[in-house]
Amino acid sequence: MQYKILIVEDETILREIVKDYLLNEGYKVVEAIDGEQAIESFQNYAFHLIILDIMLPKVDGWTVCRRIRKVSNVPIIMLTARIDEDDTLLGFELGADDYVAKPYSPPILLARVKRLLESRYRLNEGSFDTLTKNGISVDFSSRLVKVEGVNVNLTHTEFEILTYLMQNQGIVITREQLLYKVWGHDYFGDDRTINTHIRNLRAKLGTKSKLISTIIRTGYKFEESL
């Protein structure tokens, strides 16, 4: 499969550098220089991943992310020169899957891209294609999640967290374990990152949200029953 990636970045030199790295890896690349172009490109093409700067002309990255998340769970990596942790959390609340602060190393960004693509689109390597527990069912090949038979649209990160907890039902999973599982050893996040994704996930699970229990000062557990 040849992956198609949308780069949304108004800094020409930086955008060209990132594009060259992606092209060298065999990816197809589409560029957008502002938020309006990003939304237009998203509507006209099917992308496997989006690299999205926050500080954009015309329409900011947060608005673009919000618009995309209304209709798609495509993986999104947000870029920013702002270092405020609240900005980072806002990106996650809007459905971003990863967050990279400027200035950054293009090879590091490329590694994040590869990890997201591999985990999002890899063939199922487990011993099962589906997983059903307490009214929540997961189809790994299509990455479709249903709650009491109703489709639930999860982001890539929410899907990874939910399935990891379900696969370890009854076991307490620390926040550090979740950070490593979803983002890898080179991610420098804090507990609030996981907390934000868990909050979003619970909201989407509705009546089944209580299946994810908070273990104070430790992490989370997927309960065996309500």
Side-chain angles (χ1 to χ4, degrees):
M1 177 188 296
Q2 187 175 30
Y3 297 113
K4 181 180 290 184
I5 297 174
L6 173 62
I7 305 174
V8 189
E9 171 62 73
D10 62 317
E11 297 182 39
T12 303
I13 294 177
L14 183 55
R15 187 178 66 252
E16 290 295 323
I17 291 173
V18 174
K19 181 182 72 173
D20 288 344
Y21 270 88
L22 295 174
L23 290 175
N24 287 338
E25 291 295 322
Y27 301 130
K28 291 183 179 179
V29 176
V30 175
E31 302 171 69
I33 63 173
D34 58 48
E36 287 185 358
Q37 282 192 10
I39 293 170
E40 182 179 356
S41 294
F42 172 75
Q43 292 172 339
N44 291 332
Y45 301 97
F47 294 103
H48 296 94
L49 184 140
I50 297 173
I51 299 173
L52 176 63
D53 190 22
I54 287 180
M55 306 305 292
L56 293 169
K58 298 183 180 180
V59 180
D60 63 55
W62 285 314
T63 301
V64 174
C65 183
R66 187 183 293 111
R67 292 275 297 274
I68 291 173
R69 277 292 173 258
K70 288 181 178 180
V71 296
S72 173
N73 62 359
V74 60
I76 297 175
I77 299 177
M78 299 195 82
L79 308 175
T80 183
R82 302 172 62 146
I83 59 175
D84 190 329
E85 288 186 352
D86 289 335
D87 287 342
T88 303
L89 293 174
L90 175 59
F92 285 135
E93 287 172 358
L94 294 177
D97 294 292
D98 205 347
Y99 209 100
V100 177
K102 296 179 179 179
Y104 57 83
S105 165
I108 293 297
L109 175 60
L110 181 61
R112 299 283 186 87
V113 167
K114 287 182 176 179
R115 179 180 296 120
L116 267 177
L117 289 173
E118 289 172 359
S119 61
R120 174 64 177 84
Y121 301 106
R122 68 176 181 267
L123 294 176
N124 177 42
E125 298 175 353
S127 58
F128 45 78
D129 293 322
T130 61
L131 177 65
T132 301
K133 293 182 181 292
N134 301 324
I136 301 176
S137 63
V138 178
D139 185 312
F140 285 88
S141 59
S142 65
R143 297 179 69 88
L144 179 65
V145 176
K146 293 185 178 182
V147 176
E148 299 291 6
V150 178
N151 291 352
V152 177
N153 187 30
L154 301 184
T155 67
H156 165 82
T157 300
E158 292 162 357
F159 182 92
E160 293 295 311
I161 291 173
L162 175 63
T163 54
Y164 188 51
L165 291 173
M166 290 178 68
Q167 289 166 338
N168 292 277
Q169 184 176 25
I171 299 173
V172 177
I173 303 297
T174 67
R175 291 176 175 83
E176 290 76 16
Q177 286 175 304
L178 284 171
L179 284 169
Y180 181 81
K181 168 65 178 177
V182 178
W183 290 283
H185 68 277
D186 61 345
Y187 180 76
F188 297 98
D190 60 22
D191 289 353
R192 294 197 300 169
T193 298
I194 290 295
N195 296 345
T196 298
H197 287 295
I198 290 289
R199 183 169 63 250
N200 292 345
L201 177 58
R202 282 173 169 159
K204 294 181 179 181
L205 294 180
T207 59
K208 297 297 183 179
S209 62
K210 294 182 180 179
L211 286 169
I212 301 178
S213 296
T214 300
I215 309 302
I216 298 176
R217 293 189 293 276
T218 304
Y220 298 95
K221 178 175 66 172
F222 191 87
E223 297 290 353
E224 297 185 9
S225 62
L226 286 173

